[in-house]
Amino acid sequence: MKRFVIVVAFFLIVLSSCDEQRLETPSEAPYLMAAHVKEESLVFIDTDRYEVLLKDESPVAITEMVSIGDGQVLVTSKEGESLMVIHLHEGTISPFVHLNEGLTSLLYDEEKGQAYVADTVNHAVHLIDVSQQERLASMEIGAHPVDFVLSKDELFVLSGDEHEVIVVDRHLQEGLRAFSVVERPAGLFHDGEQLWVGGHGPFGELNRHIYSYDPNSGELMDEIEVGLMPIAFYGDDTSPYFYVLCHGEHSIYQIDSRSNDVVNKLEVGQNPNQIIGNETYLYVSNLDSDTISIIDRETFEVITELAVSAGPYAMVLEE
């Protein structure tokens, strides 16, 4: 009997190790980690010296990444059947919660220790307890959820195929309301008062605006002309400005949230995909020029266009 228990334990360890894969990671922060989709790799960039520290293969093409603290990063992949976690201190990537294929956007609620995951196969959003590594709830939310933001006790979900913002309670128990937005929407941002939406627009009449909505009524409040196909936003509490990434014009726009005015415009690399930042810098992944733009927020100037591996896509900062 004892021998049987030892054999079973051995095989469980072997199976577990098969799911876990090693990654080469930097010994210490700060750095930027970028996932690449054209060659399925991870690149680590020194954010003080603006240089590539190291590169390693990724077991999947990563769609999105979000830091959950303690050197852990949740990642999604459209091909994988699990939400995965990268342990940066240990240098591993492994399954976190088994769901299904088609996982894309991620949102981490640090206060509650919970994560929201967009499921484009089942047209649903899943709520994950991060500490327990388990799914708490799931809700079907319109066709092809592409982005979401939290505000108080409500989750705003952007439905890409139904051209709607769908509002549900943060526990995924009740649908509250919905309102129409631009066709083929992309990008969702809440500045504290207004809910902003970007997107590609209808075929044959591509969009050049971002749209502001009252998050309670869904009423259109304002629209601002920016570049062609605004698809991503970034803003934080350190500045009254937020930023809009226009991948059809290879540019980033700086917007004053107090006046809803365009303050400045800056060119970046070809086909930019994501923008993230901290109080000092902005980082833009440029899918087709194989670069990452590093931007000084104070001067709103590009410090460098750093050449990286093919197809930089999702990014996360480890500070």
Side-chain angles (χ1 to χ4, degrees):
M1 181 66 180
K2 183 177 180 181
R3 181 180 179 184
F4 173 77
V5 171
I6 293 173
V7 170
V8 170
F10 172 76
F11 277 107
L12 287 175
I13 291 171
V14 170
L15 289 173
S16 175
S17 64
C18 288
D19 289 336
E20 181 179 273
Q21 296 192 37
R22 299 294 303 176
L23 287 176
E24 187 178 3
T25 58
S27 57
E28 59 183 31
Y31 54 81
L32 174 82
M33 179 170 63
H36 298 251
V37 294
K38 292 183 179 180
E39 60 176 42
E40 296 186 5
S41 64
L42 288 166
V43 170
F44 298 86
I45 295 164
D46 187 319
T47 53
D48 290 331
R49 300 178 180 177
Y50 319 130
E51 63 183 21
V52 174
L53 291 169
L54 56 88
K55 168 189 170 183
D56 202 355
E57 292 183 1
S58 170
V60 292
I62 292 173
T63 309
E64 183 63 280
M65 302 192 291
V66 62
S67 174
I68 57 173
D70 297 325
Q72 300 177 88
V73 177
L74 292 183
V75 305
T76 57
S77 170
K78 290 182 180 179
E79 294 79 25
E81 294 187 353
S82 295
L83 178 64
M84 303 182 76
V85 62
I86 295 175
H87 293 277
L88 293 166
H89 300 326
E90 289 80 11
T92 62
I93 180 170
S94 57
F96 192 74
V97 177
H98 182 81
L99 295 168
N100 51 258
E101 293 183 350
L103 305 177
T104 55
S105 297
L106 275 170
L107 174 65
Y108 180 56
D109 180 1
E110 184 177 2
E111 180 183 353
K112 301 291 185 180
Q114 297 174 343
Y116 296 89
V117 186
D119 178 347
T120 58
V121 169
N122 297 304
H123 308 299
V125 173
H126 306 294
L127 177 61
I128 307 297
D129 185 310
V130 169
S131 63
Q132 298 298 316
Q133 293 186 218
E134 64 180 12
R135 175 168 51 179
L136 296 176
S138 298
M139 178 183 280
E140 291 186 16
I141 301 187
H144 198 74
V146 294
D147 207 349
F148 29 52
V149 295
L150 272 172
S151 175
K152 297 181 181 178
D153 291 326
E154 297 179 335
L155 179 72
F156 296 83
V157 184
L158 190 59
S159 171
D161 287 352
E162 295 184 351
H163 324 308
E164 286 186 328
V165 169
I166 299 165
V167 189
V168 301
D169 75 293
R170 70 187 303 154
H171 305 294
L172 302 187
Q173 299 299 314
E174 181 183 6
L176 302 175
R177 58 191 180 276
F179 52 91
S180 298
V181 295
V182 63
E183 287 189 44
R184 296 194 297 152
L188 196 60
F189 176 68
H190 192 275
D191 67 5
E193 296 183 2
Q194 306 167 88
L195 187 70
W196 293 92
V197 179
H200 300 84
F203 290 103
E205 191 180 343
L206 295 176
N207 177 46
R208 291 180 175 271
H209 293 79
I210 56 173
Y211 302 88
S212 162
Y213 297 89
D214 184 312
N216 296 312
S217 67
E219 178 186 357
L220 179 63
M221 299 175 65
D222 202 355
E223 59 182 83
I224 302 175
E225 184 174 356
V226 288
L228 186 64
M229 292 186 286
I231 52 94
F233 295 85
Y234 178 77
D236 55 36
D237 295 334
T238 67
S239 168
Y241 304 112
F242 66 93
Y243 304 89
V244 183
L245 197 62
C246 301
H247 79 162
E249 197 174 280
H250 322 302
S251 59
I252 174 176
Y253 282 71
Q254 183 182 41
I255 311 294
D256 190 325
S257 63
R258 298 163 297 187
S259 62
N260 289 1
D261 290 328
V262 174
V263 178
N264 214 334
K265 170 191 171 183
L266 190 63
E267 290 189 3
V268 290
Q270 296 295 304
N271 195 8
N273 176 74
Q274 189 186 45
I275 176 172
I276 64 171
N278 54 25
E279 62 182 10
T280 307
Y281 300 108
L282 300 171
Y283 302 90
V284 176
S285 60
N286 304 303
L287 186 66
D288 288 341
S289 60
D290 304 332
T291 61
I292 290 176
S293 304
I294 302 178
I295 299 164
D296 186 301
R297 287 183 69 167
E298 184 175 355
T299 63
F300 200 55
E301 295 178 346
V302 175
I303 297 173
T304 185
E305 288 282 344
L306 184 64
V308 291
S309 299
Y313 197 76
M315 300 179 292
V316 71
L317 279 165
E318 182 69 9
E319 298 182 303

